[in-house]
Amino acid sequence: MAVFVTRRIPAEGLRVLSQAGGCRVQQWDSEEPVPRAELLAGVAGKHGLLCLLSDRIDREVLEAAGPGLKVISTMSVGFDHLALEEIKKRGIRVGYTPDVLTDATAELSVALLLSACRRLPEAVEQVKNGGWTTWKPLWMCGYGLSDSTVGIIGLGRIGQAVARRLKPFGVKKFLYTGSGPKPESGAEFEAEFVPLTRLAEESDFVVVACALTPATQGMCNKDFFSRMKKTSVFVNTSRGSVVNQEDLYNALAHGQIAAAGLDVTTPEPLPTDHPLLSLKNCVILPHIGSATYATRSTMAVLAANNLLAGLRGEPMPHELLL
Ligand code: NDP
Ligand code: DGY
């Protein structure tokens, strides 16, 4: 079986592939994304493809691969970079990496929320640039979680893990929204299912943890931000396209909301002259939700095992049901 791996991945994952009998691995062995032309050439004639969220796997790639392609395994839980309709039409199986990155991503979401609401990057900057002159009663104040209402957009694996971590901070009420009420997911937090508009209006903190789909694309827009409280904090660790960034910029710049924390943007990387980067009340991270050594290693091993199982026609550890 011939497979193409689109990036340098943690060694543990590659070892799983190289130790599997009968698997010929070709790899784009670089920290940087595979150029499109190399992807199209690399995938030609392969049976398996191990890719990342930065690789757009569309019809062109599937056609370049040819009819022998049996499995696509993405080293991510998000799968919005895969043209699922085209993939399904060709009978190709898809593996992904849920669960193993939930803790790391939830932890980062909480870190980002606290950084934004307690203004940590701004405060660190003040220490460095001499802005810290003395202790001042009203200086560098922000907003705390105690007695707050937290609204979670997408109470899935990561959304629940975020709620579980935030609860001990003294959150008074959890709200959530999604495609429908999920009583079994909300029970642990006594979370109430509400429409998006009510979540925006009542939350002190909004955490976006949903998948990017046609329904969620651009969901956090001008109308959404205009409903939020002036003192509220917005956090997104899902995908950049769930947010209309121009609308977010305006909401932050005009004091419609207090602050934002983003681990994901459109595009990625965000150009260094992007208006959002000029705002003090916007903390932006470079898509590092799952970035712990252990998590990335486990993701790579899972992606490799998904690929092998698919190639052998066996059940995958985590198959995306199309
Ligand atoms: P899950 O599938 O467990 O959760 C996805 C959630 O999205 C579900 O609760 C679902 O709710 C919700 N959702 C779907 N449609 C809507 C909608 N229209 N409105 C509101 N919510 C909706 O996935 P995970 O929790 O494992 O991962 C979630 C996403 O997080 C991934 O898809 C990925 O994009 C992102 N991610 C980002 C990382 C980072 O590094 N920043 C790391 C890992 C993941 P329902 O069931 O009601 O439809
Ligand atoms: C994912 O897995 O979808 C994340 O965005 C990166 O881990």
Side-chain angles (χ1 to χ4, degrees):
M1 293 288 187
V3 307
F4 185 59
V5 178
T6 64
R7 193 81 70 85
R8 186 176 301 156
I9 59 170
E12 297 82 354
L14 205 63
R15 207 172 298 129
V16 169
L17 292 181
S18 50
Q19 285 173 357
C23 192
R24 268 180 296 116
V25 180
Q26 183 185 334
Q27 183 185 26
W28 179 255
D29 188 14
S30 166
E31 289 290 315
E32 300 306 319
V34 58
R36 188 76 179 170
E38 299 287 345
L39 172 61
L40 296 174
V43 79
K46 300 294 189 295
H47 305 104
L49 173 64
L50 195 156
C51 65
L52 306 187
L53 57 89
S54 46
D55 305 316
R56 191 166 39 82
I57 308 301
D58 56 11
R59 191 172 163 177
E60 189 185 24
V61 173
L62 301 175
E63 274 170 11
L69 187 65
K70 288 185 163 48
V71 194
I72 297 171
S73 171
T74 182
M75 195 182 124
S76 63
V77 67
F79 45 82
D80 48 280
H81 55 300
L82 307 178
L84 294 183
E85 284 301 315
E86 294 289 333
I87 291 171
K88 190 176 173 185
K89 247 195 265 172
R90 291 165 170 79
I92 297 168
R93 293 170 69 190
V94 175
Y96 71 141
T97 63
D99 296 328
V100 297
L101 44 56
T102 296
D103 286 347
T105 308
E107 183 175 272
L108 191 279
S109 305
V110 172
L112 182 55
L113 182 150
L114 292 170
S115 297
C117 72
R118 297 300 304 271
R119 304 169 63 180
L120 300 190
E122 212 185 321
V124 168
E125 190 51 35
Q126 293 293 312
V127 175
K128 289 185 182 167
N129 69 17
W132 180 20
T133 53
T134 181
W135 189 92
K136 301 177 209 168
L138 289 172
W139 189 59
M140 280 293 137
C141 290
Y143 298 94
L145 281 155
S146 218
D147 271 331
S148 67
T149 296
V150 172
I152 300 193
I153 300 182
L155 196 64
R157 288 171 292 248
I158 294 170
Q160 289 172 59
V162 170
R164 196 165 296 125
R165 282 160 178 74
L166 291 182
K167 201 176 168 185
F169 282 90
V171 172
K172 188 172 70 190
K173 174 97 186 138
F174 284 101
L175 305 174
Y176 73 102
T177 192
S179 48
K182 295 269 153 42
E184 65 293 354
S185 308
E188 182 184 344
F189 323 104
E190 295 171 50
E192 184 182 352
F193 180 82
V194 292
L196 187 67
T197 46
R198 202 179 132 201
L199 184 139
E201 285 156 6
E202 294 183 17
S203 299
D204 299 300
F205 296 88
V206 171
V207 180
V208 186
C210 61
L212 172 62
T213 67
T216 62
Q217 177 138 19
M219 177 188 241
C220 299
N221 57 15
K222 190 174 174 183
D223 176 67
F224 180 85
F225 294 121
S226 70
R227 290 172 188 275
M228 284 178 69
K229 303 179 191 178
K230 284 190 164 36
T231 52
S232 60
V233 175
F234 176 82
V235 174
N236 182 15
T237 51
S238 68
R239 285 291 183 265
S241 303
V242 174
V243 176
N244 180 318
Q245 279 179 182
E246 203 183 324
D247 294 346
L248 174 62
Y249 172 83
N250 286 327
L252 287 165
H254 300 121
Q256 249 166 32
I257 67 172
L262 311 175
D263 184 42
V264 286
T265 59
T266 313
E268 293 184 2
L270 196 65
T272 52
D273 60 355
H274 193 282
L276 278 174
L277 289 168
S278 67
L279 298 173
K280 281 187 179 161
N281 56 350
C282 189
V283 181
I284 304 185
L285 301 177
H287 203 148
I288 56 168
S290 63
T292 71
Y293 291 111
T295 301
R296 290 285 168 82
S297 163
T298 309
M299 287 167 69
V301 169
L302 177 53
N305 282 323
N306 280 337
L307 189 73
L308 290 177
L311 290 172
R312 291 174 181 145
E314 294 168 359
M316 288 186 193
H318 278 291
E319 179 161 1
L320 188 65
L321 299 173
L322 302 179

